Amino acid sequence: MAGSNPSPGTTPGTPRVLRAMNDRAALDLLLAHGPLSRTTIGTLTGLSKPTASQLLARLESAGLVVATGTTEGRPGPNAQLYEVNARAAFAAGMDVTPLRIRAAVADLTGRTVGEFELPTPGRRAESAVGRVGEALDGAARAAGITSADVRRLVIGTPGAFDPSTGRLRYASHLPGWHSPALLDELAAALPMPVEYENDVNLVAVAEQRLGVARGHGNFVLLWNEEGLGAALVIGGRLHRGSTGGAGEVGFLPVPGTPLVRGVIKANSGGFQELAGAQVLPRLARELGVAGVDQGHYAKVAAALVADAAAADSGPNRQFLDEYATGLATGLASLVAVLDPELVVLSGEAIAAGGEPLLGRVRAELAELAAPRPRLVIGSVREHPVLRGALESALATTRDEVFDTSVPRDPG
């Protein structure tokens, strides 16, 4: 039987709660393994055939599972297969940057069924709520549903909303998201519960659920793309800090950069001036790397790192060495305090360097810090912020929808 928190008004150990625990165990197995027969579900949960049959009938009546095909190619009669009803609920996620909002809707199995991207260059505060609604509506239409069908939305932004004030901090470069009434306005405008999370934290959620951090309860994720930040997972949970600012390591004072005071107002200084994607084009020019392109710094930086990783010598090789040293310098402070079992390096400006960059960072970190965490490059490469937002929204949605200890209307 799977463990579950009983709903208010129920007593642990009562038949209703025990049935709900068995139901959740079966639903989790169906999510993990796909269509299963009654016999297989009984074997995996330890339930008798009659009890497994009653369980499936109960879940089918509640609209949580559907019959789908039969077993083939085995001795004896074909057995009916069951799977989670993908359309029993939908969850949505958003990835917000200064230039666009990327939204997606997933069904209950986690499959992305609708996506939409809304460009937002130069938009101002008064349209922030409308932009979120427009992006959500677009993703819902692409999924063949309406926004009212979405059970929960998780929005990922740079910075973090301070839980004591509701104000967005550490993201002055995100226009339109700093109104003190913004969260109330969004709650009033949207038909579902909304949660807000730092974008880098959501990348860590994606890696923990789907990527290289699966099975790890303590790790640090360093993200280098639009900005330089970190996510801290301790005891299996994200550590956000009292203001949501845990992991804002872009402002971390490090050797090799001037000491900047008033970093929030300046939006500069520290680790990001040593190894952030925005400084890499300038570093390449200073070292004499040829053909430094114009364009958005994150894309230019990723291209420079990819070229450098393929070089054996010369300015490109020197560029990669200095970048690795910069990354290791900031990481040394993090691992000295946290001593994580794993460090995940993520973002285009890191992933482009592959093993050549990873090896250099690993060697430098071994010289600069006493702890010896395992270093890996993140494996969730396609829209990791959005994927993390969907995974976060799905986790809460499943907890709600899969709780059968409370009678519900299947319609």
Side-chain angles (χ1 to χ4, degrees), residues 11-383:
T11 303
T14 62
R16 178 184 293 177
V17 173
L18 294 174
R19 282 197 300 269
M21 293 171 69
N22 288 332
D23 291 348
R24 181 60 193 260
L27 289 164
D28 286 340
L29 286 168
L30 289 170
L31 283 175
H33 300 291
L36 297 174
S37 68
R38 180 202 61 183
T39 300
T40 302
I41 290 173
T43 300
L44 293 175
T45 58
L47 299 174
S48 66
K49 289 183 179 180
T51 302
S53 294
Q54 293 170 5
L55 177 152
L56 285 169
R58 187 166 60 246
L59 294 180
E60 192 170 17
S61 176
L64 295 178
V65 303
V66 292
T68 172
T70 58
T71 57
E72 296 180 358
R74 297 180 182 179
N78 293 340
Q80 179 68 61
L81 296 175
Y82 296 86
E83 65 182 5
V84 169
N85 180 6
R87 299 186 66 82
F90 297 90
M94 284 188 188
D95 173 15
V96 178
T97 74
L99 298 179
R100 53 107 182 108
I101 298 176
R102 181 178 289 127
V105 171
D107 64 27
L108 199 55
T109 68
R111 184 172 66 95
T112 299
V113 292
E115 295 183 78
F116 184 80
E117 185 166 314
L118 177 68
T120 59
R123 303 295 181 87
R124 306 310 305 167
E126 60 272 17
S127 60
V129 173
R131 296 200 308 264
V132 169
E134 184 179 350
L136 179 61
D137 286 343
R141 282 195 304 272
I145 61 175
T146 69
S147 296
D149 297 314
V150 175
R151 185 147 185 142
R152 183 168 296 268
L153 169 64
V154 172
I155 299 176
T157 66
F161 285 95
D162 187 330
S164 65
T165 66
R167 299 288 296 267
L168 183 65
R169 303 188 68 185
Y170 318 108
S172 59
H173 61 298
L174 189 65
W177 286 77
H178 297 87
S179 165
L182 178 62
L183 299 189
D184 290 337
E185 292 169 357
L186 283 167
L190 297 172
M192 75 292 292
V194 184
E195 296 176 15
Y196 307 89
E197 185 59 90
N198 170 261
D199 53 0
V200 185
N201 283 348
L202 290 176
V203 177
V205 169
E207 291 291 349
Q208 190 177 34
R209 303 275 176 82
L210 307 170
V212 294
R214 279 179 294 185
H216 292 274
N218 301 283
F219 69 94
V220 169
L221 181 137
L222 184 69
W223 168 264
N224 197 9
E225 198 160 295
E226 296 287 337
L228 185 61
L232 315 176
V233 176
I234 302 171
R237 296 179 176 272
L238 282 165
H239 176 69
R240 298 176 176 87
S242 62
T243 66
E248 291 292 334
V249 297
F251 301 131
L252 180 73
V254 292
T257 61
L259 187 63
V260 175
R261 301 183 187 279
V263 292
I264 295 178
K265 291 183 179 179
N267 198 33
S268 65
F271 193 12
Q272 63 190 357
E273 295 300 314
L274 185 67
Q278 68 269 34
V279 306
L280 294 184
R282 183 178 74 237
L283 174 62
R285 294 187 187 96
E286 291 173 353
L287 294 175
V289 174
V292 179
D293 295 331
Q294 300 297 317
H296 191 273
Y297 66 82
K299 297 296 183 184
V300 174
L304 286 168
V305 173
D307 290 343
D312 295 325
S313 60
N316 293 76
R317 172 67 178 271
Q318 186 180 358
F319 168 79
L320 196 68
D321 289 342
E322 294 209 16
Y323 179 37
T325 299
L327 290 172
T329 300
L331 280 173
S333 296
L334 292 177
V335 302
V337 173
L338 298 170
D339 190 18
E341 60 191 88
L342 179 73
V343 173
V344 180
L345 304 179
S346 188
E348 283 190 275
I350 290 177
E355 187 58 40
L357 176 63
L358 182 64
R360 286 166 171 79
V361 175
R362 185 182 291 122
E364 284 287 83
L365 189 60
E367 297 290 331
L368 297 174
R372 295 290 187 273
R374 187 164 70 93
L375 267 64
V376 296
I377 290 180
S379 60
V380 181
R381 302 289 178 84
E382 185 174 0
H383 309 323

